[in-house]
Amino acid sequence: MKEEAIKVGDKVPDFELERQDGGFFRLYDLLREKNVVLYFYPKDSTPGCTKQACEFRDQYEVFKEQGAEVVGISSDSVESHQRFEKNYRLPFKLLSDKGGQIRKMFGVPRKLGLLPGRVTYIIDQDGIVRYVFNSMSKPLEHVSIALEVLREINSEQKHYNKA
């Protein structure tokens, strides 16, 4: 297992996890189609995580316009994710990382050694991490910063395509 945290410029490892609908999600399958905002969060239905998920929900159309998909990961069960999704009408995928294997693979730190951390990765279609935001106490900034970074990536691509 990779111990070192994944940083900007790193190629992300591919992984497969169970989705809340019971199917399986593979990161590289999605990256073939679009950029990915992958966010790790501590726990379904807690105040900060609910605020963050609802902000991603409220901005979801903007993420889609920016050519990105939002994916949330926590160690909660698929059943917990289903309730969380239903209660807050979340339009994006929530993945169950039982045992925290993917969290470890990405090197997501724990807060005070106990609480699973809150970290967002913006990953371009080449699988390269373009931005990492780590903050337990600012759940809403994960969303606004992700959108800023996606706009930059898209303007770079437009500029590159013209050249």
Side-chain angles (χ1 to χ4, degrees):
M1 271 296 154
K2 187 171 175 151
E3 289 299 312
E4 203 177 300
I6 288 178
K7 314 177 284 312
V8 170
D10 288 353
K11 190 159 178 71
V12 293
D14 195 10
F15 64 85
E16 188 173 89
L17 280 176
E18 195 171 357
R19 297 188 310 245
Q20 73 265 37
D21 65 8
F24 280 88
F25 166 90
R26 244 188 105 216
L27 180 61
Y28 276 44
D29 289 347
L30 185 56
L31 285 172
R32 276 192 209 113
E33 300 163 28
K34 48 187 67 170
N35 298 319
V36 174
V37 176
L38 186 67
Y39 82 99
F40 290 86
Y41 65 99
K43 190 144 184 56
D44 289 343
S45 303
T46 55
C49 296
T50 300
K51 231 186 252 180
Q52 183 181 24
C54 289
E55 185 67 11
F56 272 123
R57 175 199 66 204
D58 295 348
Q59 299 294 327
Y60 188 66
E61 287 306 313
V62 184
F63 280 101
K64 282 174 55 178
E65 285 164 17
Q66 292 299 319
E69 184 57 58
V70 176
V71 179
I73 298 182
S74 80
S75 296
D76 293 303
S77 68
V78 169
E79 295 75 28
S80 174
H81 284 339
Q82 287 167 341
R83 284 191 302 275
F84 192 40
E85 176 198 14
K86 191 171 180 221
N87 289 345
Y88 297 99
R89 297 182 316 283
L90 304 178
F92 48 86
K93 293 170 184 65
L94 297 176
L95 305 176
S96 180
D97 182 22
K98 290 185 191 100
Q101 293 308 103
I102 307 306
R103 187 176 284 278
K104 278 189 206 103
M105 190 190 295
F106 274 74
V108 175
R110 290 184 161 274
K111 180 98 168 140
L112 308 171
L114 301 168
L115 294 173
R118 182 188 314 277
V119 180
T120 299
Y121 297 87
I122 292 87
I123 306 163
D124 69 19
Q125 286 186 259
D126 296 322
I128 304 298
V129 176
R130 300 296 294 268
Y131 197 85
V132 179
F133 186 67
N134 179 355
S135 171
M136 280 299 271
S137 58
K138 299 178 179 163
L140 299 181
E141 281 186 36
H142 286 259
V143 180
S144 58
I145 288 173
L147 281 171
E148 276 175 44
V149 172
L150 287 166
R151 286 186 183 110
E152 282 172 30
I153 291 170
N154 288 331
S155 70
E156 279 171 25
Q157 286 170 339
K158 281 184 190 128
H159 180 75
Y160 180 76
N161 290 341
K162 280 183 191 165

